[in-house]
Amino acid sequence: MSPTPASASRRGFFARAISFMGSVAAAVRPAAPRTLQVDIAEGGSPGDGPRAKWGMAIDLDLCTACGGCVVACASENNVPMTGTSEAEAGTSIAWMGLLPKAEVQEEQQLPELLPMPCMHCEDAPCVKVCPVNATYQNDEGLVVQISDRCIGCRYCMVACPYSRRFFNWKEAEWPETYRNLLNPDVSTRPEGVVEKCSFCSHRIRKLREESRVAEHTITDADLQRLPACAQTCPANAIVFGDLNDSESLVSRMAASPRSARLLEHLGAKPKVFYLARERRNDG
Amino acid sequence: MSAQNEDPKALPIGMARFGMPFVLGFLLLGLVVAAGGLGYLQQRLHGDIVTGLRTVGQGGPAWGLYICFDVMFVGFAFAGISLSALTRLFRIQTLWPVTRIAEVLAVISLMMAGLCVIADLGRPWHGLINLPRYARTNSPFFGTFTLVIGSGLSASLLYLFLDLRVDAAWWSNRVGLHGQLFRWCAMGFRNTAQEHRRRRRVSFWLSLVLLPLMLISYSTLGFVFGIQGGRPGWFGALQAPSFVILAAMSGLGIIMVVAALVRRALALQEQISERVFLWLGTTVAILSLFYVYLIGVDTLTSRYASSEAQNVVSREITEGRFSPLFWSMLACFLVPTVVLLERGLRRKPSIALAVLSGVLINIGAVLNRFLVVVPSQTHGQLMPWPTGRYEPTWVEFSVVAGLLALGTMMFLIYLQVFPILPLQTLGLSTPVAAPKEVRTRALLRRTAAWITFLGGLALALLGLALSARWGTPRPEGDPLLPGSPVMFLMGVVMMLAAALVYELFPSARPKPVPETR
């Protein structure tokens, strides 16, 4: 029950509704092929001009919490199959997870289930604590995890305020039929290391290579649904793109008044933006 | 000279007593160590799933018993070295008899701490290779691996060795294996007045250097927890000082226990006086009082107007799931405090009560470490992930018990090989005047020591600069030269080794020593 006077809340509603419609209009506007402000086609050696800063925006008003992103992510990234027993034991791995219930974030109007990938923080606590540089931030803002370097001390897991890091408590197992369907673009991880969402960095690399061969200029439209979660999302709630490109959809969504980041007060500067759900009169 | 030294077969007090209790005790400890090995084997074969640890946010803490005992072992070492150093600096005669115990305890504890970390790692071999190669200064673990385990261990070994050398020289005319060992360990110490003067000087400077080194290195262990802004219950400036205080009290507690056991087993009632326990007991009581005060401050801060999550963690500790542990911990701290203070104020030592207090304080310390490490991970979620629970499995218990048993075994082995009482306590180390023709080469000796020290300093700074990538635009990254963390470590060790050079630098003396005294 909100103690706010009805007129004030109505005004707030209209303001939000207008901004929401604005963003929807922006979202549905056909993305005209145009040259990106940032040369993301290269992405190669550091120091040759501005580069991409990958980010994600999740519109919670569109999200139906169907869980498609979770399944797509696991399938794309060879995440070991787990069932209820692992989930109950606390050993399952879900790079993209659904945050069960958002009681704490009441004022941010988050839904009951919140899709949560790695936040790829700009000032990531996990990167700070890794003793062997097994996790670091690359030139394009991705928080990368190198399993071969990882020693399994799990410091990053306890440091991550979003709990978006997972440990391989045992050797990964797949059913025989599934083993032939593993994604060859993503290496499987050994027992005893930490793993996490990569923003499907292998797809970025693939897109670059394919575009180079086809002499195609990468546009924002190529990027918006690039990660497996975004590609699968039936409601198009997840948008990926370059935050350094102010015209990209993800940048515009991030700039929306509905946009907020989780635990902003910690100063980790996450690069996943959530667009608040519109509370209509039915809720 | 003492009659004991005249008989070349007599060994220092307490040594080489292979009685039946010793053999039985040793076998029993061996069994516990074997059980620990078996537990660890399970962990290696089946993965860390055999422990009670789980993913944070999915029902578990990722750190548990291993980390608690790592903190515990390093704490023992911190207390041991600090006790020994303070005793030397301030020449506290009463505490001399237990300095050796404290030093041996420190060396063994640090070895166990290293093993504890290895037990915790998901991939220990990668840890052993990647940490020396790539350790980053950004991570508080840099301090833990280089300063605590590396420099701390070499410093304690050096400290122990230089002190033992005096004893070894005194007993070097023994026959058999012990004699050979003593002669090797004495490394030409001839018990002259000059050598003793050098020993005192080195001891003074080494103590002065080791105290801050131990303080800094132990604080990094507190920072592992204290600087995590995303972990309510950990984040706070009190963490490092609390770690130091608790380490001192639990370490002194264990020294009281070991000293009493050694005193009893080897009949050293005369040498280790009851006043030792009065001193240690009172110190432990004061530290314990202060620690309880810190707990109060911390609880008040996290309850009054702090964040919701911090409140939850604190409530969970004092009223929730962890409350039995919390109140037992307070009892384990307060009961000994009252008992020891009462004894201290009345100046009436009681060894039985001191031992009991030492044991209780250490039980309390284990509980406290558990309460520091676990609740923040299970209940200190900033995001509304489900809360977790942690019940260590037999694997973790057996590994920890195995490490404790291994440490005890090493202590027993030490008792059989080297004297546990410093010579000074026995009143034996009367220096003799050096023969006139000996030239100590004081200038050369000092120069060599200074060169070692400065070389070590340069190496350490270079290693640190390369590890920390000083002067590069991106300080977070691989060390500029793989292995530079080792360079830093070796530099610190080399700085300390200046003491070794200063003491062991050969005097100009052509002819062999006529006698050892």
Side-chain angles (χ1 to χ4, degrees), chain B residues 23-103:
Chain B
V23 175
L24 277 181
F26 210 74
L27 280 179
L28 203 70
L29 289 170
L31 280 179
V32 181
V33 174
L38 199 70
Y40 188 62
L41 194 67
Q42 291 291 314
Q43 201 179 317
R44 287 278 60 82
L45 287 178
H46 304 295
D48 291 299
I49 194 153
V50 296
T51 66
L53 303 170
R54 293 296 176 255
T55 303
V56 179
Q58 288 197 25
W63 287 351
L65 220 53
Y66 294 149
I67 296 291
C68 294
F69 274 86
D70 176 46
V71 173
M72 187 95 182
F73 282 126
V74 181
F76 288 163
F78 168 76
I81 292 292
S82 304
L83 174 73
S84 176
L86 287 172
T87 305
R88 277 156 209 271
L89 272 184
F90 296 102
R91 304 209 179 92
I92 309 169
Q93 291 298 330
T94 319
L95 294 181
W96 269 112
V98 291
T99 48
R100 184 70 51 78
I101 293 177
E103 290 156 18

Side-chain angles (χ1 to χ4, degrees), chain A residues 89-90 92 101 127 129-131 133 137 139 147-155 158 162-164 166 169 193, chain B residues 47-49 54-55 58 62-63 120 122-123 130 135-136 139 224 228 231 377 381 384-385 474 476-478:
Chain A
S92 62
K101 204 159 182 226
V127 168
V129 300
C130 178
N133 208 24
Q137 183 155 200
D139 293 333
S147 4
D148 200 42
R149 179 70 74 82
C150 179
I151 63 174
C153 69
R154 305 187 288 282
Y155 200 171
V158 299
Y162 306 94
S163 304
R164 291 288 75 204
F166 304 90
W169 296 100
V193 300
Chain B
D48 291 299
I49 194 153
R54 293 296 176 255
T55 303
Q58 288 197 25
W63 287 351
D120 187 64
R123 294 207 297 178
N130 285 353
R136 301 189 319 155
S139 175
V224 167
Q228 292 312 312
R231 279 254 86 82
Q377 296 177 69
Q381 307 282 355
W385 295 111
R474 280 183 52 178
E476 288 176 3
D478 277 350

Side-chain angles (χ1 to χ4, degrees), chain B residues 351-469:
Chain B
I351 291 175
L353 285 178
V355 170
L356 188 73
S357 304
V359 170
L360 278 179
I361 289 274
N362 272 286
I363 293 173
V366 172
L367 294 175
N368 183 277
R369 263 103 194 211
F370 191 88
L371 291 174
V372 167
V373 172
V374 176
S376 172
Q377 296 177 69
T378 55
H379 291 80
Q381 307 282 355
L382 289 173
M383 300 304 298
W385 295 111
T387 56
R389 56 187 299 151
Y390 174 52
E391 277 145 21
T393 60
W394 74 270
V395 170
E396 289 162 280
F397 281 123
S398 71
V399 169
V400 166
L403 287 177
L404 287 169
L406 185 64
T408 316
M409 272 170 102
M410 288 171 80
F411 191 80
L412 289 180
I413 291 173
Y414 174 87
L415 283 182
Q416 299 301 334
V417 181
F418 285 113
I420 195 68
L421 284 178
L423 264 191
Q424 202 171 344
T425 313
L426 303 173
L428 291 178
S429 63
T430 331
V432 294
K436 286 275 181 287
E437 66 270 30
V438 173
R439 285 181 297 114
T440 54
R441 299 200 283 197
L443 187 65
L444 213 55
R445 182 187 296 272
R446 271 181 199 211
T447 315
W450 270 109
I451 288 173
T452 316
F453 179 81
L454 293 176
L457 185 67
L459 197 64
L461 286 178
L462 185 65
L464 189 64
L466 289 172
S467 301
R469 303 164 59 89

Side-chain angles (χ1 to χ4, degrees), chain B residues 135-149:
Chain B
R136 301 189 319 155
T137 48
N138 288 54
S139 175
F141 272 177
F142 183 84
T144 314
F145 291 121
T146 57
L147 281 176
V148 177
I149 311 281

Side-chain angles (χ1 to χ4, degrees), chain B residues 76-190:
Chain B
F76 288 163
F78 168 76
I81 292 292
S82 304
L83 174 73
S84 176
L86 287 172
T87 305
R88 277 156 209 271
L89 272 184
F90 296 102
R91 304 209 179 92
I92 309 169
Q93 291 298 330
T94 319
L95 294 181
W96 269 112
V98 291
T99 48
R100 184 70 51 78
I101 293 177
E103 290 156 18
V104 175
L105 205 69
V107 170
I108 295 174
S109 303
L110 280 174
M111 291 179 184
M112 296 305 110
L115 290 179
C116 226
V117 169
I118 288 176
D120 187 64
L121 291 185
R123 294 207 297 178
W125 292 114
H126 283 74
L128 288 174
I129 294 164
N130 285 353
L131 280 171
R133 277 177 73 91
Y134 304 117
R136 301 189 319 155
T137 48
N138 288 54
S139 175
F141 272 177
F142 183 84
T144 314
F145 291 121
T146 57
L147 281 176
V148 177
I149 311 281
S151 316
L153 184 56
S154 28
S156 337
L157 269 173
L158 178 75
Y159 203 63
L160 181 63
F161 166 72
L162 287 178
D163 194 37
L164 264 181
R165 202 171 148 239
V166 183
D167 292 44
W170 178 264
W171 300 108
S172 61
N173 60 349
R174 305 296 97 171
V175 290
L177 264 180
H178 273 108
Q180 273 177 22
L181 192 64
F182 287 153
R183 277 188 290 280
W184 176 81
C185 187
M187 293 210 174
F189 194 82
R190 284 181 296 267

